[in-house]
Amino acid sequence: MRLPRGGVAVLSCTAGVALANNYAIQPALGDVARDTGSSAAAIGLVTTAALGGCIAGFAFLLPLADRAAPRRLVAGQLALLTAGLLLASCAPGLGLLLLAYVMVGAGASVSAMASTIAGRGVPGERRGAAVAGVAAGMSAGILLSRLVGGALADAFGWRGMLLAFAGLVVVCGAIAWTRLPGERPEGGGGGYLGTVAALPGLLRRHRALRLAVLSGSLWYLAFSLVWVALTVRLAQPPYGLDAAHIGLYSLAGALGFAALPVAGRLGDRYSPRAVIAGSMVVAAAGAGLLCTGLDRPVVTAAGLALVDAGCFTAQAANQTRVMSIAPARSGSLSGVYLLLYFLAGALGAGAAAPLVAVGGWGAASGAVCGALVVAGVLVVLPRWAGEPVAETDRSMPKAGVSTSSPCGD
């Protein structure tokens, strides 16, 4: 299976639009809480529900990328996402809203499927660039989601904002149906239930996968925690910012969006592990700035920019590592990786509001900084996690670069 011309761009846009729906409601969580009669701590469960839906999608939908046609898979998940958004837009209370956001998250997991399809649909020497291209779309979706979501919520209410996003998803589904391949991937046989049942065995079999899961989970926990904690804290006194002003902070993520294409090319030419290690240094530096408090918006924005840049580029490189372990099973491998990765993100999102309530912004930002530092250490010193340094290198040779490099992946 090979992608047509412009296929990576279609997947990038689809992934960005889909993933944006996990985050667009965050600046309006205060409005949603008032409208549904929920507490500030309880309304944070909306983000957790979306991440929980993503986890279900990774476990039960992403492995289908190894055996089914991209056109049907992507269009089908976008239809599920549309249904979730429509249900959320008419939810009278928190219970139905949480159910709707489980559906939204499951549909938004198509963003990971887009990465898998892109990595498989191009030659091996371009895999890193293709995955980074989709990751750029995802980061753009996250970046713009809070800004656009906050503005639309202010203009039309949070329910109107969800309807607008549902319309955009329908457009993406139509484009995906006409532009993506209709044939199944090579080696795409085997039963679905057997494929799902084999997922835990992949984690036991591949030490490189275990290390990728552990380090990636730490930085995504940090990423989810910092953004939800920021939203909760800025809505409280003495700041008291509305959804639109909180959404403006998402512009800080533009640095991560700009860095992704460069990171993808570096990952193809050198070592994804080297890209990840450098990314964690950048992200930890940003978390250090956030630890100084929220009283200086410029410093806060700079810290968020560095955290986002580090996490986005590390994720693109890490997914390339995972797919390279066994390219023919990249959907299943990515499913295992992302299931546990987003589980950590759900834990971070769920812990954010209680952590702010108990320890304030200092406790939240300190936890973020600590998680990023540990993730960086695990990548730089892989033997601490029991992984041979060259395990993944053997499956992803690079022209002109020795696979025995100590920074090799």
Side-chain angles (χ1 to χ4, degrees), residues 212-241:
V213 165
L214 182 58
S215 56
S217 294
L218 284 168
W219 71 63
Y220 194 55
L221 182 148
F223 174 84
S224 298
L225 195 160
V226 74
W227 277 106
V228 177
L230 181 79
T231 299
V232 171
R233 186 66 188 95
L234 290 179
Q236 297 172 344
Y239 308 104
L241 299 185

PDB file of all heavy atoms in Angstrom, residues 212-241:
ATOM      1  N   ALA A 212      10.048   2.838  25.281  1.00  0.00           N
ATOM      2  CA  ALA A 212       9.321   3.908  24.602  1.00  0.00           C
ATOM      3  C   ALA A 212       8.041   4.253  25.358  1.00  0.00           C
ATOM      4  O   ALA A 212       7.679   5.426  25.506  1.00  0.00           O
ATOM      5  CB  ALA A 212       8.993   3.490  23.165  1.00  0.00           C
ATOM      6  N   VAL A 213       7.353   3.230  25.853  1.00  0.00           N
ATOM      7  CA  VAL A 213       6.131   3.458  26.622  1.00  0.00           C
ATOM      8  C   VAL A 213       6.433   4.216  27.911  1.00  0.00           C
ATOM      9  O   VAL A 213       5.747   5.189  28.258  1.00  0.00           O
ATOM     10  CB  VAL A 213       5.448   2.112  26.946  1.00  0.00           C
ATOM     11  CG1 VAL A 213       4.396   2.283  28.027  1.00  0.00           C
ATOM     12  CG2 VAL A 213       4.816   1.527  25.692  1.00  0.00           C
ATOM     13  N   LEU A 214       7.458   3.785  28.629  1.00  0.00           N
ATOM     14  CA  LEU A 214       7.761   4.391  29.925  1.00  0.00           C
ATOM     15  C   LEU A 214       8.150   5.860  29.784  1.00  0.00           C
ATOM     16  O   LEU A 214       7.608   6.736  30.470  1.00  0.00           O
ATOM     17  CB  LEU A 214       8.872   3.606  30.618  1.00  0.00           C
ATOM     18  CG  LEU A 214       9.281   4.088  32.011  1.00  0.00           C
ATOM     19  CD1 LEU A 214       8.087   4.083  32.954  1.00  0.00           C
ATOM     20  CD2 LEU A 214      10.404   3.207  32.561  1.00  0.00           C
ATOM     21  N   SER A 215       9.086   6.141  28.892  1.00  0.00           N
ATOM     22  CA  SER A 215       9.533   7.528  28.742  1.00  0.00           C
ATOM     23  C   SER A 215       8.436   8.403  28.150  1.00  0.00           C
ATOM     24  O   SER A 215       8.179   9.521  28.617  1.00  0.00           O
ATOM     25  CB  SER A 215      10.796   7.583  27.871  1.00  0.00           C
ATOM     26  OG  SER A 215      10.573   6.973  26.611  1.00  0.00           O
ATOM     27  N   GLY A 216       7.732   7.909  27.112  1.00  0.00           N
ATOM     28  CA  GLY A 216       6.672   8.696  26.500  1.00  0.00           C
ATOM     29  C   GLY A 216       5.531   8.988  27.460  1.00  0.00           C
ATOM     30  O   GLY A 216       4.967  10.075  27.447  1.00  0.00           O
ATOM     31  N   SER A 217       5.194   8.003  28.299  1.00  0.00           N
ATOM     32  CA  SER A 217       4.112   8.215  29.259  1.00  0.00           C
ATOM     33  C   SER A 217       4.436   9.331  30.233  1.00  0.00           C
ATOM     34  O   SER A 217       3.556  10.112  30.625  1.00  0.00           O
ATOM     35  CB  SER A 217       3.845   6.916  30.029  1.00  0.00           C
ATOM     36  OG  SER A 217       3.345   5.916  29.164  1.00  0.00           O
ATOM     37  N   LEU A 218       5.689   9.440  30.617  1.00  0.00           N
ATOM     38  CA  LEU A 218       6.077  10.485  31.563  1.00  0.00           C
ATOM     39  C   LEU A 218       5.906  11.878  30.963  1.00  0.00           C
ATOM     40  O   LEU A 218       5.382  12.788  31.608  1.00  0.00           O
ATOM     41  CB  LEU A 218       7.517  10.270  32.019  1.00  0.00           C
ATOM     42  CG  LEU A 218       7.725   9.147  33.035  1.00  0.00           C
ATOM     43  CD1 LEU A 218       9.209   8.827  33.188  1.00  0.00           C
ATOM     44  CD2 LEU A 218       7.136   9.546  34.389  1.00  0.00           C
ATOM     45  N   TRP A 219       6.338  12.052  29.710  1.00  0.00           N
ATOM     46  CA  TRP A 219       6.213  13.417  29.172  1.00  0.00           C
ATOM     47  C   TRP A 219       4.770  13.734  28.781  1.00  0.00           C
ATOM     48  O   TRP A 219       4.368  14.888  28.813  1.00  0.00           O
ATOM     49  CB  TRP A 219       7.197  13.694  28.043  1.00  0.00           C
ATOM     50  CG  TRP A 219       6.982  13.020  26.723  1.00  0.00           C
ATOM     51  CD1 TRP A 219       5.935  13.154  25.882  1.00  0.00           C
ATOM     52  CD2 TRP A 219       7.901  12.126  26.070  1.00  0.00           C
ATOM     53  NE1 TRP A 219       6.129  12.402  24.743  1.00  0.00           N
ATOM     54  CE2 TRP A 219       7.322  11.776  24.827  1.00  0.00           C
ATOM     55  CE3 TRP A 219       9.160  11.621  26.376  1.00  0.00           C
ATOM     56  CZ2 TRP A 219       7.953  10.913  23.925  1.00  0.00           C
ATOM     57  CZ3 TRP A 219       9.781  10.772  25.489  1.00  0.00           C
ATOM     58  CH2 TRP A 219       9.191  10.417  24.281  1.00  0.00           C
ATOM     59  N   TYR A 220       3.953  12.736  28.445  1.00  0.00           N
ATOM     60  CA  TYR A 220       2.569  13.070  28.145  1.00  0.00           C
ATOM     61  C   TYR A 220       1.772  13.321  29.419  1.00  0.00           C
ATOM     62  O   TYR A 220       0.849  14.146  29.423  1.00  0.00           O
ATOM     63  CB  TYR A 220       1.908  11.975  27.316  1.00  0.00           C
ATOM     64  CG  TYR A 220       0.601  12.452  26.715  1.00  0.00           C
ATOM     65  CD1 TYR A 220       0.577  13.605  25.930  1.00  0.00           C
ATOM     66  CD2 TYR A 220      -0.582  11.784  26.946  1.00  0.00           C
ATOM     67  CE1 TYR A 220      -0.609  14.076  25.394  1.00  0.00           C
ATOM     68  CE2 TYR A 220      -1.776  12.242  26.403  1.00  0.00           C
ATOM     69  CZ  TYR A 220      -1.776  13.388  25.629  1.00  0.00           C
ATOM     70  OH  TYR A 220      -2.958  13.858  25.102  1.00  0.00           O
ATOM     71  N   LEU A 221       2.107  12.636  30.498  1.00  0.00           N
ATOM     72  CA  LEU A 221       1.508  12.966  31.790  1.00  0.00           C
ATOM     73  C   LEU A 221       1.797  14.422  32.133  1.00  0.00           C
ATOM     74  O   LEU A 221       0.910  15.169  32.554  1.00  0.00           O
ATOM     75  CB  LEU A 221       2.052  12.038  32.867  1.00  0.00           C
ATOM     76  CG  LEU A 221       1.495  12.219  34.291  1.00  0.00           C
ATOM     77  CD1 LEU A 221       1.474  10.872  35.023  1.00  0.00           C
ATOM     78  CD2 LEU A 221       2.311  13.217  35.105  1.00  0.00           C
ATOM     79  N   ALA A 222       3.051  14.831  31.932  1.00  0.00           N
ATOM     80  CA  ALA A 222       3.436  16.212  32.224  1.00  0.00           C
ATOM     81  C   ALA A 222       2.686  17.197  31.324  1.00  0.00           C
ATOM     82  O   ALA A 222       2.184  18.230  31.789  1.00  0.00           O
ATOM     83  CB  ALA A 222       4.943  16.376  32.050  1.00  0.00           C
ATOM     84  N   PHE A 223       2.580  16.879  30.033  1.00  0.00           N
ATOM     85  CA  PHE A 223       1.905  17.764  29.085  1.00  0.00           C
ATOM     86  C   PHE A 223       0.435  17.950  29.462  1.00  0.00           C
ATOM     87  O   PHE A 223      -0.089  19.076  29.489  1.00  0.00           O
ATOM     88  CB  PHE A 223       2.027  17.173  27.679  1.00  0.00           C
ATOM     89  CG  PHE A 223       1.255  17.923  26.630  1.00  0.00           C
ATOM     90  CD1 PHE A 223       1.787  19.040  26.014  1.00  0.00           C
ATOM     91  CD2 PHE A 223      -0.017  17.509  26.256  1.00  0.00           C
ATOM     92  CE1 PHE A 223       1.073  19.740  25.050  1.00  0.00           C
ATOM     93  CE2 PHE A 223      -0.739  18.192  25.303  1.00  0.00           C
ATOM     94  CZ  PHE A 223      -0.196  19.309  24.694  1.00  0.00           C
ATOM     95  N   SER A 224      -0.261  16.858  29.737  1.00  0.00           N
ATOM     96  CA  SER A 224      -1.678  16.941  30.077  1.00  0.00           C
ATOM     97  C   SER A 224      -1.892  17.673  31.394  1.00  0.00           C
ATOM     98  O   SER A 224      -2.812  18.491  31.533  1.00  0.00           O
ATOM     99  CB  SER A 224      -2.271  15.531  30.163  1.00  0.00           C
ATOM    100  OG  SER A 224      -2.177  14.868  28.930  1.00  0.00           O
ATOM    101  N   LEU A 225      -1.043  17.378  32.354  1.00  0.00           N
ATOM    102  CA  LEU A 225      -1.181  18.004  33.669  1.00  0.00           C
ATOM    103  C   LEU A 225      -1.008  19.513  33.588  1.00  0.00           C
ATOM    104  O   LEU A 225      -1.796  20.276  34.163  1.00  0.00           O
ATOM    105  CB  LEU A 225      -0.160  17.388  34.625  1.00  0.00           C
ATOM    106  CG  LEU A 225      -0.338  17.619  36.131  1.00  0.00           C
ATOM    107  CD1 LEU A 225       0.435  16.570  36.913  1.00  0.00           C
ATOM    108  CD2 LEU A 225       0.098  19.000  36.575  1.00  0.00           C
ATOM    109  N   VAL A 226      -0.004  19.970  32.847  1.00  0.00           N
ATOM    110  CA  VAL A 226       0.292  21.397  32.844  1.00  0.00           C
ATOM    111  C   VAL A 226      -0.827  22.205  32.189  1.00  0.00           C
ATOM    112  O   VAL A 226      -1.202  23.278  32.679  1.00  0.00           O
ATOM    113  CB  VAL A 226       1.649  21.679  32.164  1.00  0.00           C
ATOM    114  CG1 VAL A 226       1.582  21.534  30.650  1.00  0.00           C
ATOM    115  CG2 VAL A 226       2.141  23.080  32.519  1.00  0.00           C
ATOM    116  N   TRP A 227      -1.442  21.686  31.114  1.00  0.00           N
ATOM    117  CA  TRP A 227      -2.460  22.472  30.434  1.00  0.00           C
ATOM    118  C   TRP A 227      -3.782  22.505  31.198  1.00  0.00           C
ATOM    119  O   TRP A 227      -4.448  23.541  31.256  1.00  0.00           O
ATOM    120  CB  TRP A 227      -2.669  21.952  29.012  1.00  0.00           C
ATOM    121  CG  TRP A 227      -1.654  22.510  28.063  1.00  0.00           C
ATOM    122  CD1 TRP A 227      -0.586  21.860  27.521  1.00  0.00           C
ATOM    123  CD2 TRP A 227      -1.601  23.852  27.577  1.00  0.00           C
ATOM    124  NE1 TRP A 227       0.130  22.713  26.718  1.00  0.00           N
ATOM    125  CE2 TRP A 227      -0.467  23.937  26.728  1.00  0.00           C
ATOM    126  CE3 TRP A 227      -2.382  24.976  27.763  1.00  0.00           C
ATOM    127  CZ2 TRP A 227      -0.117  25.111  26.078  1.00  0.00           C
ATOM    128  CZ3 TRP A 227      -2.031  26.153  27.111  1.00  0.00           C
ATOM    129  CH2 TRP A 227      -0.914  26.216  26.276  1.00  0.00           C
ATOM    130  N   VAL A 228      -4.172  21.383  31.788  1.00  0.00           N
ATOM    131  CA  VAL A 228      -5.408  21.398  32.577  1.00  0.00           C
ATOM    132  C   VAL A 228      -5.210  22.223  33.842  1.00  0.00           C
ATOM    133  O   VAL A 228      -6.084  23.005  34.236  1.00  0.00           O
ATOM    134  CB  VAL A 228      -5.858  19.963  32.909  1.00  0.00           C
ATOM    135  CG1 VAL A 228      -7.103  19.987  33.801  1.00  0.00           C
ATOM    136  CG2 VAL A 228      -6.151  19.197  31.630  1.00  0.00           C
ATOM    137  N   ALA A 229      -4.058  22.067  34.500  1.00  0.00           N
ATOM    138  CA  ALA A 229      -3.788  22.853  35.703  1.00  0.00           C
ATOM    139  C   ALA A 229      -3.757  24.345  35.389  1.00  0.00           C
ATOM    140  O   ALA A 229      -4.261  25.169  36.168  1.00  0.00           O
ATOM    141  CB  ALA A 229      -2.457  22.417  36.322  1.00  0.00           C
ATOM    142  N   LEU A 230      -3.189  24.697  34.250  1.00  0.00           N
ATOM    143  CA  LEU A 230      -3.153  26.112  33.843  1.00  0.00           C
ATOM    144  C   LEU A 230      -4.561  26.659  33.657  1.00  0.00           C
ATOM    145  O   LEU A 230      -4.882  27.763  34.126  1.00  0.00           O
ATOM    146  CB  LEU A 230      -2.362  26.245  32.541  1.00  0.00           C
ATOM    147  CG  LEU A 230      -2.221  27.665  31.996  1.00  0.00           C
ATOM    148  CD1 LEU A 230      -1.135  28.419  32.748  1.00  0.00           C
ATOM    149  CD2 LEU A 230      -1.911  27.646  30.503  1.00  0.00           C
ATOM    150  N   THR A 231      -5.424  25.890  32.980  1.00  0.00           N
ATOM    151  CA  THR A 231      -6.794  26.327  32.750  1.00  0.00           C
ATOM    152  C   THR A 231      -7.541  26.536  34.063  1.00  0.00           C
ATOM    153  O   THR A 231      -8.234  27.546  34.256  1.00  0.00           O
ATOM    154  CB  THR A 231      -7.528  25.288  31.884  1.00  0.00           C
ATOM    155  OG1 THR A 231      -6.866  25.170  30.629  1.00  0.00           O
ATOM    156  CG2 THR A 231      -8.965  25.696  31.657  1.00  0.00           C
ATOM    157  N   VAL A 232      -7.390  25.577  34.972  1.00  0.00           N
ATOM    158  CA  VAL A 232      -8.079  25.667  36.264  1.00  0.00           C
ATOM    159  C   VAL A 232      -7.574  26.856  37.066  1.00  0.00           C
ATOM    160  O   VAL A 232      -8.352  27.636  37.629  1.00  0.00           O
ATOM    161  CB  VAL A 232      -7.891  24.351  37.049  1.00  0.00           C
ATOM    162  CG1 VAL A 232      -8.403  24.497  38.485  1.00  0.00           C
ATOM    163  CG2 VAL A 232      -8.622  23.210  36.351  1.00  0.00           C
ATOM    164  N   ARG A 233      -6.260  27.032  37.124  1.00  0.00           N
ATOM    165  CA  ARG A 233      -5.689  28.085  37.974  1.00  0.00           C
ATOM    166  C   ARG A 233      -5.981  29.480  37.433  1.00  0.00           C
ATOM    167  O   ARG A 233      -6.279  30.408  38.196  1.00  0.00           O
ATOM    168  CB  ARG A 233      -4.170  27.884  38.111  1.00  0.00           C
ATOM    169  CG  ARG A 233      -3.529  28.849  39.095  1.00  0.00           C
ATOM    170  CD  ARG A 233      -4.009  28.586  40.515  1.00  0.00           C
ATOM    171  NE  ARG A 233      -3.553  29.612  41.451  1.00  0.00           N
ATOM    172  CZ  ARG A 233      -4.270  30.673  41.798  1.00  0.00           C
ATOM    173  NH1 ARG A 233      -5.495  30.852  41.290  1.00  0.00           N
ATOM    174  NH2 ARG A 233      -3.803  31.546  42.664  1.00  0.00           N
ATOM    175  N   LEU A 234      -5.891  29.661  36.107  1.00  0.00           N
ATOM    176  CA  LEU A 234      -6.114  30.993  35.549  1.00  0.00           C
ATOM    177  C   LEU A 234      -7.580  31.423  35.630  1.00  0.00           C
ATOM    178  O   LEU A 234      -7.879  32.616  35.554  1.00  0.00           O
ATOM    179  CB  LEU A 234      -5.639  31.039  34.094  1.00  0.00           C
ATOM    180  CG  LEU A 234      -4.125  30.977  33.883  1.00  0.00           C
ATOM    181  CD1 LEU A 234      -3.795  31.014  32.401  1.00  0.00           C
ATOM    182  CD2 LEU A 234      -3.417  32.113  34.611  1.00  0.00           C
ATOM    183  N   ALA A 235      -8.483  30.464  35.778  1.00  0.00           N
ATOM    184  CA  ALA A 235      -9.890  30.814  35.926  1.00  0.00           C
ATOM    185  C   ALA A 235     -10.234  31.221  37.363  1.00  0.00           C
ATOM    186  O   ALA A 235     -11.320  31.762  37.612  1.00  0.00           O
ATOM    187  CB  ALA A 235     -10.768  29.638  35.506  1.00  0.00           C
ATOM    188  N   GLN A 236      -9.299  30.995  38.290  1.00  0.00           N
ATOM    189  CA  GLN A 236      -9.534  31.305  39.696  1.00  0.00           C
ATOM    190  C   GLN A 236      -8.938  32.670  40.049  1.00  0.00           C
ATOM    191  O   GLN A 236      -8.089  33.190  39.330  1.00  0.00           O
ATOM    192  CB  GLN A 236      -8.900  30.218  40.579  1.00  0.00           C
ATOM    193  CG  GLN A 236      -9.494  28.831  40.377  1.00  0.00           C
ATOM    194  CD  GLN A 236      -8.715  27.766  41.126  1.00  0.00           C
ATOM    195  OE1 GLN A 236      -7.573  27.980  41.561  1.00  0.00           O
ATOM    196  NE2 GLN A 236      -9.318  26.586  41.267  1.00  0.00           N
ATOM    197  N   PRO A 237      -9.372  33.265  41.165  1.00  0.00           N
ATOM    198  CA  PRO A 237      -8.737  34.503  41.645  1.00  0.00           C
ATOM    199  C   PRO A 237      -7.266  34.235  41.976  1.00  0.00           C
ATOM    200  O   PRO A 237      -6.919  33.103  42.371  1.00  0.00           O
ATOM    201  CB  PRO A 237      -9.535  34.831  42.911  1.00  0.00           C
ATOM    202  CG  PRO A 237     -10.833  34.105  42.757  1.00  0.00           C
ATOM    203  CD  PRO A 237     -10.509  32.854  42.006  1.00  0.00           C
ATOM    204  N   PRO A 238      -6.359  35.175  41.810  1.00  0.00           N
ATOM    205  CA  PRO A 238      -6.619  36.570  41.435  1.00  0.00           C
ATOM    206  C   PRO A 238      -6.666  36.808  39.934  1.00  0.00           C
ATOM    207  O   PRO A 238      -6.803  37.955  39.505  1.00  0.00           O
ATOM    208  CB  PRO A 238      -5.414  37.293  42.042  1.00  0.00           C
ATOM    209  CG  PRO A 238      -4.315  36.303  41.913  1.00  0.00           C
ATOM    210  CD  PRO A 238      -4.936  34.949  42.138  1.00  0.00           C
ATOM    211  N   TYR A 239      -6.543  35.758  39.123  1.00  0.00           N
ATOM    212  CA  TYR A 239      -6.469  35.953  37.679  1.00  0.00           C
ATOM    213  C   TYR A 239      -7.865  36.133  37.080  1.00  0.00           C
ATOM    214  O   TYR A 239      -8.137  37.125  36.402  1.00  0.00           O
ATOM    215  CB  TYR A 239      -5.741  34.772  37.033  1.00  0.00           C
ATOM    216  CG  TYR A 239      -4.408  34.482  37.676  1.00  0.00           C
ATOM    217  CD1 TYR A 239      -4.254  33.399  38.534  1.00  0.00           C
ATOM    218  CD2 TYR A 239      -3.320  35.316  37.467  1.00  0.00           C
ATOM    219  CE1 TYR A 239      -3.052  33.133  39.154  1.00  0.00           C
ATOM    220  CE2 TYR A 239      -2.098  35.074  38.081  1.00  0.00           C
ATOM    221  CZ  TYR A 239      -1.979  33.974  38.932  1.00  0.00           C
ATOM    222  OH  TYR A 239      -0.779  33.736  39.550  1.00  0.00           O
ATOM    223  N   GLY A 240      -8.754  35.167  37.273  1.00  0.00           N
ATOM    224  CA  GLY A 240     -10.134  35.271  36.809  1.00  0.00           C
ATOM    225  C   GLY A 240     -10.270  35.471  35.316  1.00  0.00           C
ATOM    226  O   GLY A 240     -11.133  36.223  34.856  1.00  0.00           O
ATOM    227  N   LEU A 241      -9.443  34.784  34.513  1.00  0.00           N
ATOM    228  CA  LEU A 241      -9.494  34.958  33.062  1.00  0.00           C
ATOM    229  C   LEU A 241     -10.669  34.185  32.469  1.00  0.00           C
ATOM    230  O   LEU A 241     -11.057  33.129  32.968  1.00  0.00           O
ATOM    231  CB  LEU A 241      -8.188  34.476  32.431  1.00  0.00           C
ATOM    232  CG  LEU A 241      -6.905  35.196  32.866  1.00  0.00           C
ATOM    233  CD1 LEU A 241      -5.719  34.682  32.068  1.00  0.00           C
ATOM    234  CD2 LEU A 241      -7.040  36.704  32.704  1.00  0.00           C
TER     235      LEU A 241
END
